[in-house]
Amino acid sequence: RALPNDHPDVQRARQGLAATMQDLGDLRGARALEEQVLEVFTRTLPDDHPNMQWARSALATTLWRLGDVEGARILYERVLDVRSRTLPADHPELIRAQANLALVLNLLGDLAGARLLQEKVLEVRLRTLPDDHVEVQYARGNLASTIQSLGDLAGARVLLEKVLEVFSRTLPDNHPDLQLARGSLARALFWLGDYAATRALYEKALEISARTLPDDHPDLQRARAGVAAALRELGELANARTLQENVLEVYSRTLPDDHPELQNARLNLAATLHALGDFDRARELEERVLDVRLRALPDDHPDLQAARMTVAWRLAARVARSQPGTTGKREPSAESLGEKARCAELVDALCRAQTAAAREGLLSSSTREAEARCEHIGGSLDLALSIASSFAARELDRASFVLGETTRGAALASATWMRRAANTPRYKELVEELRARSDELARLVQQGTTSEEFHRARTSRESVQRELVALSREVSGGQSSGLDFDCDALATSLAADDAIVAYRKYARWNFSSAADTAATDEVPVDSLCAFVLRPRGDTSPAQSDHVVLTRVELGPIAPIEGAVRAWRQSIGVGLERGVSASVAQIDATRLSGEALRRLVFDPLLDALGGAKRVVVALDDVLHLVSIDSLPLDPKSVGRQSNACIGDRWRIDTRCTLLELLAAPAPPPHATALVSLGGASFNSAPLAPSDEEVAAVQGVEPTAVETAALLRGSAWERGFGPLTYTGLEAREVAALHDEVRGDDAASVVLEKRKASRASLEELAPRARWLHVATHGWFAPESIRTWSDREPIDARGGLVPRQSGEDQVRGMSPMLLCGLALAGANLPEDAVGRAPGLITADELSTLDLANCELAVLSACDTNVGERRAGQGVASMQRALQMAGARSVITSLWKVPDEATKELMIDFYRRLWVRNEPKWQALWEAKKALREAKDERGELKYTTRDWAAWVLTGTPD
């Protein structure tokens, strides 16, 4: 009444009232006042005036709470632009602007962009404020929300527990910030499966909110929803339903129809209704959410993917209920056919959107984050393959195949992408920094830390990788060629008699079983399928212009795991050197090998057609199998009773099929050999001498060909001596010198010289690197982010919970590696085992022109799946470092057989100039057919079949 409408004091009064109305939940009233303020300031103040930025920020906050996230983003971006131009880098208002924009980017699905801003905010807050300052806790909480959305649940928990601990010490029990911290940690615990702890936190928040807030306040609804979610998981369905209906009634009165909170309320109630058997009402709510999200969100938004998954799952259950044999009908109804078609359409869209999200993750994330993100979206692939298998939905094959191969290649594609900036000065600086931080991370892993220190070390390492990614993106002009998995391009790279087989483990849902019950906690069955891809033939029913793609179901993986175990046991894996197999064991090996072949290869024969070369991408326990060494059916080979798959088909194994689409690397220029063996595990390691360094100094450090023989396995026990590996290293070097002459130097590293320092110093300067030593795998008890359970009926992930005494969220590549000189010694001054190097650290070596890596990972006492994961990690590590090819030995091979095979292999490779695949197969075949003085076979399957080549075969 007393001042003009555009007077600054009037605007301050409006802003104050609007803020209070927000706290009371009157968002529309707050918006009206804030729009008035902004309109006045726009007329009366310059665009970069601080009051303009405060007004924009206040309105943006109200808009995103009302569901207009895009409108909020536009305002927040404008504020950040002005703040960036007018304030110093560490100014609190600039940091606040970054934090605000990150929140809406998270909601819009730009998780990578949100994370980058939030890490910057947290770094500045920690540097400029006390650790228990409220702004530091806000920064931790916001970053935790984003990395949780990216699938890093354990990392989010670390941050949120710290926030709750600080607020519990510094704030009164009913403070809104403390309440929010309880809710945030409760959500993380919920997804980690700790429902009792979730319930306790939410009930505490609800008790306080019910005393201090009006009944329709948003914070009170969130507490009710949280308690209800925990009650549902604990089996108290009726109580959960009552709370959820209360929440939905309040939100329906107070929020617009497309508000995210209202969609969550609908989904929460729908899940409980489904558990109670009220399928029709549950379906109505879920369809409503999908319709809203299709209209309101971009196609790759995580919330839209969740809605697609939920509705598709429910439709699949309804279709299963109407399938012939379940209700007495002979043919499915038109309604059922329509639901099946819509289900397939939703899943196809889901796969395509998730493929785009995975590819974008490769262009903005660290290697671990890219892999974790791909694991997080793996539930989409589980659902797609389950539906395709249950209803023979061939229309889903292409999209699910592309999604599977995009996620399979995440780590290798990320590392390849980073190397695009290899010729820039900044790249070399970042790689050195990355190696230092990888070393620190390995130290913490070996100490078994569970502290926030590990999280900080991992975050620090990944920030360097993201700088490398950004640098590569800048160098390449943003072009992502080589990261797009294209079926047609893949097919055109194949010859007419080529085929591709991509094995895929997935969690298969039994929709027929779920359809007739109200339960939502059905456990899916781990299963295996294979995609077979052939170039189009004149008589083949093509699915596209260039490719025939066939999905073959191989059934539950448990019998396959049993067959792998039986085959390896029959081979004698684990027997000591010099122990010969009996005739009965040889027969058992053939029979168990045939049984395994019938499970994993014979079902593919029709799809393979007349192929002569088969490119194979393995998964899970199949990493422990040498496919080409499995025996053929004696009926099909006549007198050749010992004939193998490799005698009929050329088997080329790849870590990822993306390798087939990559541009060929330039030929290597280095010629030197470094041959390492006979490490002294009980002696202090030595660095390479000046003479040894000089021997390989004649060329630029750009090429390495690696042969690593990993014998034995340990995590917490000592490494025994490997007597014959030193002799092997010397004989390989002698052959190299004989063939290559004076133009190609060789260095043999034995005993104390077979050290980590020698490997790191000389590997980047060598063309040929032969390493014969122990390998190690962590035990099964240490979990990683990739040890996940499949999606549940609500379309989310249910990760296994890590123990408190374990490192949270470790990468599998931190859990395996090589043992070198000094590996048995106590920790050094910085707490590091001096002779251990992890696969993660190996991946940071500069092996840009590497042609070959041979890895023998031999101990399966940690379990088939963990051993297979270790083998795959070691293969991937060397290829991530730049190696063209990798040979792995899948079990402990007797020394005499190893030496004979390796010398024969190198002679074929260096003297006869045979391609790698041919040199290896012929060397294996020669060992297989070798006779002793009595004319009997000299070696058993165990002695020759272990070796597998991955990567470039030529």
Side-chain angles (χ1 to χ4, degrees):
R1 287 186 291 104
L3 299 174
N5 185 60
D6 58 358
H7 193 282
D9 287 348
V10 176
Q11 312 323 313
R12 280 191 283 273
R14 284 174 172 147
Q15 288 176 316
L17 178 55
T20 301
M21 293 170 78
Q22 274 217 29
D23 289 340
L24 289 170
D26 184 3
L27 301 177
R28 290 187 176 87
R31 174 179 181 171
L33 288 170
E34 288 161 349
E35 286 176 338
Q36 282 183 284
V37 173
L38 184 57
E39 185 276 330
V40 171
F41 281 166
T42 301
R43 287 189 289 102
T44 59
L45 296 176
D47 188 67
D48 59 357
H49 194 283
N51 287 350
M52 279 288 293
Q53 314 324 312
W54 295 331
R56 284 171 173 145
S57 296
L59 178 57
T61 301
T62 303
L63 289 177
W64 79 254
R65 291 187 66 186
L66 283 167
D68 184 4
V69 183
E70 182 60 29
R73 182 190 64 80
I74 293 171
L75 287 170
Y76 279 141
E77 284 183 342
R78 182 61 181 159
V79 172
L80 181 56
D81 174 66
V82 172
R83 299 291 198 200
S84 299
R85 288 188 287 103
T86 59
L87 296 176
D90 290 358
H91 195 283
E93 292 298 339
L94 174 56
I95 300 305
R96 190 170 291 114
Q98 292 171 332
N100 289 336
L101 179 57
L103 287 174
V104 296
L105 291 179
N106 185 318
L107 292 172
L108 287 168
D110 184 3
L111 300 176
R115 184 206 59 231
L116 289 173
L117 287 171
Q118 288 165 341
E119 286 180 341
K120 172 64 175 175
V121 170
L122 181 56
E123 184 272 325
V124 173
R125 294 301 195 202
L126 286 170
R127 185 159 42 80
T128 59
L129 297 173
D131 188 70
D132 60 358
H133 194 281
V134 64
E135 293 291 349
V136 175
Q137 312 324 312
Y138 293 159
R140 283 180 170 134
N142 291 337
L143 178 58
S145 174
T146 296
I147 65 174
Q148 181 171 322
S149 297
L150 284 165
D152 188 357
L153 302 172
R157 177 180 181 175
V158 171
L159 291 169
L160 294 171
E161 285 176 337
K162 180 66 173 179
V163 174
L164 182 59
E165 184 272 326
V166 171
F167 279 161
S168 296
R169 285 190 290 103
T170 58
L171 297 177
D173 204 43
N174 64 347
H175 194 283
D177 286 343
L178 180 52
Q179 290 283 76
L180 180 62
R182 289 182 176 118
S184 297
L185 178 57
R187 282 190 293 276
L189 293 173
F190 178 88
W191 288 113
L192 284 165
D194 191 347
Y195 304 123
T198 300
R199 177 179 183 173
L201 283 169
Y202 274 131
E203 284 183 339
K204 177 70 171 178
L206 178 58
E207 183 270 327
I208 293 171
S209 296
R211 286 190 287 104
T212 58
L213 299 174
D215 190 65
D216 58 358
H217 193 282
D219 289 347
L220 183 53
Q221 313 319 313
R222 294 187 191 103
R224 285 171 174 154
V227 173
L231 291 175
R232 183 183 64 217
E233 297 301 327
L234 292 169
E236 299 183 32
L237 299 177
N239 291 335
R241 176 177 182 169
T242 299
L243 286 170
Q244 289 166 338
E245 286 179 334
N246 192 338
V247 171
L248 182 57
E249 186 277 328
V250 171
Y251 279 158
S252 297
R253 285 190 290 104
T254 58
L255 298 176
D257 189 62
D258 59 356
H259 194 281
E261 293 279 12
L262 181 52
Q263 312 321 312
N264 291 337
R266 286 168 172 154
L267 288 175
N268 290 335
L269 177 56
T272 302
L273 291 172
H274 185 83
L276 287 166
D278 190 350
F279 302 126
D280 290 338
R281 190 177 174 210
R283 180 189 184 191
E284 176 186 345
L285 289 168
E286 289 162 347
E287 292 276 6
R288 183 75 172 274
V289 171
L290 177 60
D291 177 65
V292 168
R293 287 179 172 174
L294 283 169
R295 288 186 285 103
L297 297 176
D299 192 63
D300 59 352
H301 195 285
D303 287 348
L304 176 53
Q305 306 323 316
R308 281 173 169 149
M309 290 177 74
T310 298
V311 174
W313 203 96
R314 303 297 191 211
L315 285 171
R318 287 173 60 86
V319 171
R321 255 200 318 270
S322 64
Q323 287 286 317
T326 62
T327 62
K329 297 180 180 179
R330 294 186 177 180
E331 295 182 359
S333 65
E335 180 184 8
S336 175
L337 291 173
E339 289 179 333
K340 177 181 174 181
R342 183 160 183 266
C343 178
E345 179 184 349
L346 284 172
V347 172
D348 184 78
L350 173 68
C351 288
R352 294 176 188 277
Q354 296 287 46
T355 298
R359 189 162 50 241
E360 180 59 30
L362 299 178
L363 299 174
S364 57
S365 304
S366 70
T367 298
R368 187 198 70 89
E369 288 171 323
E371 283 194 295
R373 185 171 188 168
C374 287
E375 286 290 339
H376 190 62
I377 66 177
S380 302
L381 187 59
D382 291 343
L383 181 66
L385 292 175
S386 296
I387 290 174
S389 176
S390 297
F391 309 125
R394 294 296 175 185
E395 63 270 28
L396 294 178
D397 286 351
R398 190 182 185 95
S400 55
F401 174 63
V402 172
L403 175 59
E405 293 312 305
T406 300
T407 58
R408 190 202 300 271
L412 196 52
S414 176
T416 302
W417 172 255
M418 281 185 269
R419 283 200 300 274
R420 292 190 179 190
N423 293 326
T424 65
R426 179 59 177 156
Y427 176 85
K428 294 177 175 59
E429 295 174 4
L430 288 172
V431 167
E432 286 303 312
E433 188 174 356
L434 179 64
R435 290 185 62 188
R437 297 189 182 187
S438 294
D439 182 76
E440 170 65 10
L441 196 59
R443 179 185 68 81
L444 293 176
V445 169
Q446 291 168 23
Q447 289 179 337
T449 180
T450 60
S451 67
E452 190 176 357
E453 183 182 16
F454 176 83
H455 174 74
R456 287 182 177 176
R458 188 180 67 185
T459 300
S460 176
R461 181 191 187 279
E462 291 172 355
S463 68
V464 177
Q465 281 198 321
R466 285 194 294 274
E467 284 193 63
L468 282 166
V469 169
L471 182 62
S472 297
R473 195 165 191 167
E474 179 183 339
V475 168
S476 64
Q479 298 299 312
S480 61
S481 58
L483 299 182
D484 298 335
F485 189 84
D486 186 300
C487 280
D488 293 332
L490 191 64
T492 56
S493 71
L494 301 178
D497 57 358
D498 288 347
I500 288 174
V501 175
Y503 290 97
R504 173 61 60 174
K505 175 197 167 189
Y506 72 102
R508 180 174 177 178
W509 289 92
N510 184 350
F511 298 108
S512 297
S513 174
D516 295 322
T517 70
T520 60
D521 58 352
E522 160 137 6
V523 178
V525 176
D526 284 344
S527 301
L528 191 71
C529 71
F531 288 95
V532 181
L533 185 145
R534 293 289 313 276
R536 180 180 179 182
D538 293 339
T539 60
S540 299
Q543 296 184 11
S544 73
D545 291 338
H546 304 287
V547 61
V548 180
L549 183 64
T550 306
R551 175 178 42 80
V552 180
E553 290 298 324
L554 301 175
I557 204 167
I560 295 171
E561 289 177 340
V564 170
R565 187 180 307 115
W567 179 65
R568 289 169 64 87
Q569 289 174 346
S570 72
I571 287 173
V573 172
L575 293 178
E576 294 301 320
R577 181 176 63 85
V579 178
S580 300
S582 66
V583 174
Q585 287 174 317
I586 293 173
D587 288 341
T589 296
R590 179 178 55 79
L591 292 174
S592 61
E594 289 177 0
L596 179 56
R597 187 207 69 236
R598 285 193 291 270
L599 287 173
V600 301
F601 195 80
D602 287 1
L604 314 179
L605 294 179
D606 288 343
L608 289 175
K612 297 179 181 178
R613 171 180 174 249
V614 181
V615 180
V616 176
L618 302 174
D619 199 15
D620 200 67
V621 72
L622 291 187
H623 283 295
L624 295 175
V625 177
S626 175
I627 297 293
D628 59 2
S629 302
L630 295 179
L632 288 173
D633 186 348
K635 296 178 182 178
S636 67
V637 294
R639 295 180 180 179
Q640 282 187 288
S641 60
N642 66 339
C644 300
I645 285 176
D647 293 317
R648 175 170 293 184
W649 291 275
R650 170 185 162 186
I651 304 295
D652 290 347
T653 306
R654 299 282 182 150
C655 289
T656 164
L657 297 181
L658 274 171
E659 298 171 48
L660 299 176
L661 299 175
H669 302 293
T671 58
L673 164 74
V674 174
S675 190
L676 185 153
S680 297
F681 301 120
N682 296 316
S683 302
L686 293 178
S689 67
D690 293 341
E691 292 77 12
E692 288 162 341
V693 173
V696 293
Q697 284 280 29
V699 292
E700 290 297 318
T702 58
V704 179
E705 184 157 341
T706 306
L709 315 178
L710 314 183
R711 302 206 178 90
S713 175
W715 176 253
E716 295 177 331
R717 67 176 187 270
F719 296 94
L722 295 172
T723 307
Y724 285 85
T725 58
L727 175 61
E728 180 182 313
R730 292 193 298 274
E731 291 198 5
V732 169
L735 177 61
H736 174 271
D737 292 345
E738 174 189 334
V739 173
R740 297 285 170 166
D742 296 335
D743 294 334
S746 66
V747 173
V748 177
L749 299 171
E750 287 189 271
K751 299 180 180 178
R752 296 172 64 192
K753 288 289 186 69
S755 65
R756 172 190 172 94
S758 297
L759 185 67
E760 293 177 339
E761 176 73 19
L762 299 181
R765 296 183 169 90
R767 177 174 185 174
W768 316 96
L769 175 64
H770 186 97
V771 180
T773 189
H774 279 296
W776 52 266
F777 301 147
E780 288 282 333
S781 60
I782 299 183
R783 313 302 292 175
T784 77
W785 48 260
S786 62
D787 294 318
R788 66 178 179 87
E789 296 288 355
I791 60 168
D792 66 6
R794 296 181 303 280
L797 289 177
V798 185
R800 297 187 178 100
Q801 185 176 4
S802 298
E804 291 298 324
D805 59 337
Q806 299 160 6
V807 177
R808 296 184 175 107
M810 284 198 294
S811 162
M813 291 180 65
L814 288 170
L815 300 179
C816 61
L818 303 179
L820 301 170
N824 289 339
L825 296 180
E827 295 176 349
D828 58 21
V830 296
R832 182 74 196 272
L836 297 185
I837 185 169
T838 67
D840 179 73
E841 292 173 294
L842 287 173
S843 72
T844 66
L845 296 176
D846 180 12
L847 310 182
N849 290 321
C850 176
E851 293 181 4
L852 180 65
V854 184
L855 306 174
S856 176
C858 51
D859 192 344
T860 60
N861 291 333
V862 295
E864 281 81 12
R865 181 165 291 118
R866 174 50 56 83
Q869 187 181 68
V871 169
S873 293
M874 294 298 289
Q875 291 171 342
R876 191 162 55 242
L878 272 291
Q879 288 192 252
M880 287 171 63
R884 283 188 175 89
S885 309
V886 177
I887 292 178
T888 51
S889 179
L890 305 181
W891 53 80
K892 185 176 184 177
V893 182
D895 292 309
E896 181 181 357
T898 296
K899 183 181 68 173
E900 186 171 336
L901 184 142
M902 281 290 105
I903 296 301
D904 188 21
F905 166 74
Y906 280 121
R907 190 175 297 280
R908 293 174 183 277
L909 188 68
W910 291 338
V911 178
R912 300 185 185 180
N913 293 317
E914 292 179 358
K916 297 167 199 167
W917 71 268
Q918 184 179 351
L920 178 62
W921 177 249
E922 294 298 335
K924 290 169 66 174
K925 188 175 180 180
L927 211 66
R928 185 181 76 185
E929 296 174 351
K931 302 289 182 64
D932 60 18
E933 62 276 2
R934 295 173 298 178
E936 297 178 355
L937 291 177
K938 185 177 181 181
Y939 297 108
T940 67
T941 302
R942 175 188 58 154
D943 301 324
W944 61 266
W947 307 94
V948 175
L949 172 70
T950 58
T952 305
D954 298 320

